[in-house]
Amino acid sequence: MKYDRILIRYGEISTKGRNRHKFVEKLRKSVKIALATYPKAKIEASRDRMYVLLNGENGIEIIEKLKHIFGIQSFSPAIKVERNVETLKNSALDFVRSHYQEGQTFKVTPKRSDKTFELNTDGINRTIGGHLLQNIPGLRVDVKNPDINLRIEVRGEAIYLSCENIPGAGGMPIGSNGKAMLMLSGGIDSPVAGYMAMKRGLEIEAIHFFSPPYTSERSKEKVVDLTKKLAELYGSRINLHIVPFTSIQQAVGEQIPENYSMTSTRRMMLRIADEIRIKQEALAIITGESLGQVASQTLESMFTINEVTNTPILRPLIMMDKTDIIKIAREIDTLEISNRPFEDCCTIFVPASPKTKPRREKVQHYESFFDFTPLIEKAVQEIETLVITPEEQTSEFNSLF
């Protein structure tokens, strides 16, 4: 028997109270965007469940899409059955037969959300289990580790049968927790930070600092490709803001002592990121910093750099080991792109002996001899904004909003 729908189970959305419908609507929108190339598929959403009605679309391809949507805890290909015991018995038999191979075991896992149904969970278990054993030769029961786990969910409108439970991406629907700006370099860490931020329900826009001729067009292309990977995970377009940063880095190199130049450079980046955040109406800045990984990521460095803004700085990787970050980068398919040998402005201008414990009063003193504000304002005015769209997205995308 071919399934006709996919039952989607919520994750953390289920813990929400009066505003749950807002999170459900965000998830429905994410699913709709992800399935834009399957026009016959329809989405039904309620407080407790969501269904994708296939209507003849390719269920295997849709399953692959659903695996990457944040906010989905798990999902199951399913069929809808009339609320009638005899119909349930016959449908369950056909359903298990379509999955059964000789010598396999099974169990029945009933869930009776609607208590008005004539059989309780034990009655469903005995009635359906007995019917299957009588009509499928060789089928055996194994309640601990069955080959086929027939899930029967009795709801008010119908009964749903499924025998697969496919893990989803978890987290929260993208956009359900606001918008933030991702400081995206060409390295391994920042794309992973962006991925983890999206998983917690953040809509992101990316900021990249570009310093030609010291950094090449290939380094910019690398960041565009990283953003495209994130857009594919997001299921929607992402704005990438390219900041011309050469003049500021040159000024820092000329005006600030070498061992404090990295600290001052990061402060300038953060000031610019904050200006862009204000324009884009975002509420936070995301970085890929991991505590102690490099000189600019010591606690003293972050304390000194953070001084230039009151905006929340989100650091999803702050307590993670590099090996764990690399593992996630490999899983989300950004590692190979990040490892391309094209350096960004952060790596090219690293001083020989950067200060690992910079002091605020010292960097304030060094910066007081030169007014960086006009250079910052000019960089913000000359930003190049690219709209990065997933490759497979169709021209019908805009009609979904």
Side-chain angles (χ1 to χ4, degrees), residues 138-344:
L139 184 65
R140 294 177 293 111
V141 175
D142 184 346
V143 296
K144 292 186 178 180
N145 189 29
D147 298 306
I148 300 172
N149 184 3
L150 176 62
R151 292 177 173 84
I152 302 175
E153 184 169 354
V154 180
R155 300 185 66 81
E157 73 282 1
I159 299 174
Y160 298 92
L161 304 182
S162 63
C163 62
E164 292 181 79
N165 190 31
I166 303 170
M172 304 287 284
I174 288 178
S176 60
N177 282 323
K179 181 163 76 171
M181 310 304 295
L182 170 67
M183 296 177 69
L184 183 65
S185 70
I188 295 172
D189 300 341
S190 55
V192 175
Y195 164 78
M196 295 183 71
M198 291 191 299
K199 187 171 183 177
R200 294 309 305 160
L202 284 175
E203 176 188 351
I204 67 169
E205 294 191 21
I207 302 171
H208 178 68
F209 295 89
F210 186 52
S211 296
Y214 304 106
T215 54
S216 68
E217 285 295 321
R218 298 296 296 274
S219 69
K220 184 198 287 189
E221 180 184 319
K222 178 180 176 181
V223 172
V224 168
D225 289 345
L226 287 171
T227 308
K228 190 170 291 185
K229 281 292 180 185
L230 292 176
E232 290 171 4
L233 293 165
Y234 184 19
S236 182
R237 55 191 175 186
I238 293 178
N239 290 338
L240 170 61
H241 306 281
I242 308 291
V243 180
F245 200 57
T246 308
S247 59
I248 295 175
Q249 285 201 283
Q250 289 174 333
V252 168
E254 294 168 1
Q255 302 296 328
I256 307 296
E258 185 182 22
N259 63 343
Y260 264 86
S261 63
M262 180 185 61
T263 302
S264 186
T265 298
R266 300 284 183 176
R267 285 163 62 95
M268 300 304 152
M269 288 179 168
L270 201 53
R271 287 175 64 180
I272 292 171
D274 209 23
E275 291 296 323
I276 301 171
R277 175 199 66 78
I278 293 169
K279 287 190 172 186
Q280 301 305 118
E281 299 182 339
L283 297 176
I285 297 170
I286 305 161
T287 75
E289 292 166 306
S290 174
L291 187 61
Q293 188 178 127
V294 294
S296 65
Q297 296 175 22
T298 64
L299 200 57
E300 292 85 355
S301 287
M302 288 187 284
F303 178 75
T304 300
I305 294 166
N306 272 25
E307 183 195 20
V308 300
T309 179
N310 291 321
T311 298
I313 309 298
L314 308 182
R315 299 179 170 93
L317 315 183
I318 193 67
M319 297 300 178
M320 292 182 65
D321 293 337
K322 190 69 174 184
T323 52
D324 295 327
I325 297 169
I326 290 172
K327 180 181 178 183
I328 296 173
R330 186 176 288 111
E331 290 172 354
I332 65 175
D333 201 24
T334 58
L335 183 61
E336 185 177 341
I337 301 172
S338 295
N339 281 333
R340 292 178 191 170
F342 308 113
E343 294 180 306
D344 56 40

Side-chain angles (χ1 to χ4, degrees), residues 56-86:
E57 296 284 10
N58 190 317
I60 295 174
E61 293 179 1
I62 287 177
I63 283 172
E64 287 304 310
K65 296 282 186 182
L66 295 177
K67 286 179 181 178
H68 305 290
I69 298 175
F70 298 124
I72 296 178
Q73 184 68 28
S74 65
F75 58 93
S76 299
I79 61 171
K80 183 178 181 180
V81 176
E82 182 185 340
R83 285 168 47 94
N84 176 279
V85 174
E86 287 303 313

